[in-house]
């Protein structure tokens, strides 16, 4: 290693997809990067914030296709930090919400490399909000669960069955391949009429939304041809969506008029 190189790694949460939802701190971190390692869920438009001469490496993972294993990604981060100095690891959503960010931090720090974290806007909250779905609402929902639909052993998380028993709003990430199982668990708790929203490619121009109930959502998915990446929102707050959506549209309209 060049003794003048000062290795440093910053994990930056890229937000849910819309490039405008990257934080200012994330923009500043990218502007100082010598190397950017970015994944499949962080919008490539964000790379314009990095210096032109910086090295950009795609290390994304999608269902059925892995460019790199997690162990390889960990090693790539360390190798690039030791060789080039300042590395930014750009990860979709927030690095610590099912993003394996803590695993990467632990590995990097085992080499004595300083690490920093820039929180990102988690898709679990931002994507429903973008559709006018408030995860909590007085008198409707006092709490919410955020659960991974697919655990490391590729099974549905046991927490989904627990969440189905509660009155909380339930947000499930990476759960589309397990949707039939999720529906069955909620039906067992007599929750067949509970509203459900499925939001594909949330906050992006190609966003698609399906609204139904536990009993109807499988048919809605079929009719709307919804697939991954998508977020599943289950709870009474979904039925409040139309009124909230109207509010957001009115707010955006007033904002534009104020500018004019």
């Amino acid at each position: 290693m060049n003794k003048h190189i000062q290795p440093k790694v910053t994990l930056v949460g890229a937000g849910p997809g819309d490039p405008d939802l990257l934080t200012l701190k994330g923009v500043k971190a990218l502007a100082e990067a010598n190397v950017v390692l970015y994944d499949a869920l962080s919008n490539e438009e964000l790379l314009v914030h990095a210096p032109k001469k910086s090295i950009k490496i795609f290390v994304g993972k999608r269902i059925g296709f892995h460019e790199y294993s997690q162990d390889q990604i960990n090693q790539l981060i360390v190798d690039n930090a030791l060789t080039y100095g300042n590395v930014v690891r750009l990860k979709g959503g927030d690095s610590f919400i099912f993003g394996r960010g803590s695993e990467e931090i632990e590995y990097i720090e085992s080499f004595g490399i300083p690490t920093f974290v820039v929180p990102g806007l988690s898709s679990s909250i931002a994507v429903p909000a973008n559709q006018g779905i408030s995860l909590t609402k007085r008198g409707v929902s006092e709490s919410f669960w955020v659960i991974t639909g697919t655990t490391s052993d590729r099974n549905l998380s046991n927490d989904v069955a627990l969440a189905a028993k509660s009155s909380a709003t339930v947000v499930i990430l990476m759960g589309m391949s397990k949707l039939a199982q999720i529906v069955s668990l909620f039906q067992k708790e007599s929750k067949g009429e509970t509203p459900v929203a499925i939001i594909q490619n949330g906050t992006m121009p190609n966003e698609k939304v399906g609204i139904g109930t536990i009993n109807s959502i499988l048919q809605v998915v079929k009719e709307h041809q919804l697939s991954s990446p998508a977020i599943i929102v289950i709870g009474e707050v979904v039925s409040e969506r139309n009124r909230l959506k109207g509010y957001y549209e009115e707010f955006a309209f007033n904002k534009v008029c104020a500018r004019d």
Side-chain angles (χ1 to χ4, degrees), residues 4 24 26 36 48-50 56 65 75 77 145 172 189 226-227:
H4 297 299
L24 283 172
V36 181
V48 300
H49 299 297
K56 287 106 177 162
F65 176 79
Q75 195 58 54
I77 297 169
W145 294 61
I172 302 174
E189 302 299 329
L226 296 168
S227 60

Side-chain angles (χ1 to χ4, degrees), residues 15-222:
D18 180 343
D20 286 347
L21 293 176
L22 175 68
T23 65
L24 283 172
K25 195 164 187 176
V27 170
K28 290 173 183 175
L30 280 168
E32 296 174 354
N34 296 328
V35 181
V36 181
L37 288 88
Y38 65 102
D39 70 19
L41 295 177
S42 57
N43 194 311
E44 285 195 31
E45 287 180 48
L46 299 178
L47 298 178
V48 300
H49 299 297
K52 282 187 179 177
K53 65 177 189 289
S54 63
I55 300 165
K56 287 106 177 162
I57 305 169
F58 174 71
V59 291
K61 287 180 265 186
R62 286 215 185 275
I63 292 173
F65 176 79
H66 285 196
E67 186 81 7
Y68 293 96
S69 69
Q70 188 61 52
D71 287 343
Q72 287 173 318
I73 291 170
N74 292 348
Q75 195 58 54
L76 264 175
I77 297 169
V78 168
D79 290 347
N80 278 281
L82 295 175
T83 306
Y84 299 107
N86 193 1
V87 171
V88 166
R89 172 72 171 107
L90 190 61
K91 300 169 73 67
D94 180 87
S95 303
F96 286 173
I97 307 292
F98 305 120
R100 303 186 74 171
S102 57
E103 294 173 45
E104 293 180 6
I105 288 282
E106 285 166 16
Y107 186 81
I108 297 159
E109 288 184 341
S110 73
F111 289 83
I113 297 170
T115 61
F116 302 88
V117 177
V118 177
L121 202 53
S122 173
S123 60
S124 60
I125 296 168
V127 167
N130 190 58
Q131 276 297 320
I133 298 171
S134 175
L135 297 187
T136 61
K137 186 180 180 189
R138 190 177 301 203
V140 180
S141 174
E142 297 170 355
S143 60
F144 62 91
W145 294 61
V146 178
I147 309 172
T148 177
T150 308
T151 61
S152 56
D153 57 6
R154 314 311 296 168
N155 292 320
L156 182 67
S157 170
N158 292 329
D159 284 348
V160 176
L162 295 173
K165 296 176 188 293
S166 80
S167 60
T169 304
V170 181
V171 181
I172 302 174
L173 310 181
M174 300 170 284
M176 288 300 282
S177 64
K178 305 285 196 301
L179 186 59
Q181 283 177 256
I182 293 164
V183 163
S184 177
L185 287 170
F186 277 80
Q187 285 173 333
K188 279 180 188 172
E189 302 299 329
S190 302
K191 298 274 184 76
E193 296 307 311
T194 302
V196 182
I198 292 183
I199 309 161
Q200 179 183 335
N201 297 315
T203 77
M204 299 292 284
N206 58 340
E207 182 177 69
K208 288 170 72 176
V209 184
I211 304 284
T213 63
I214 285 293
N215 287 340
S216 70
I217 198 63
L218 288 170
Q219 185 60 35
V220 169
V221 165
K222 192 175 176 183

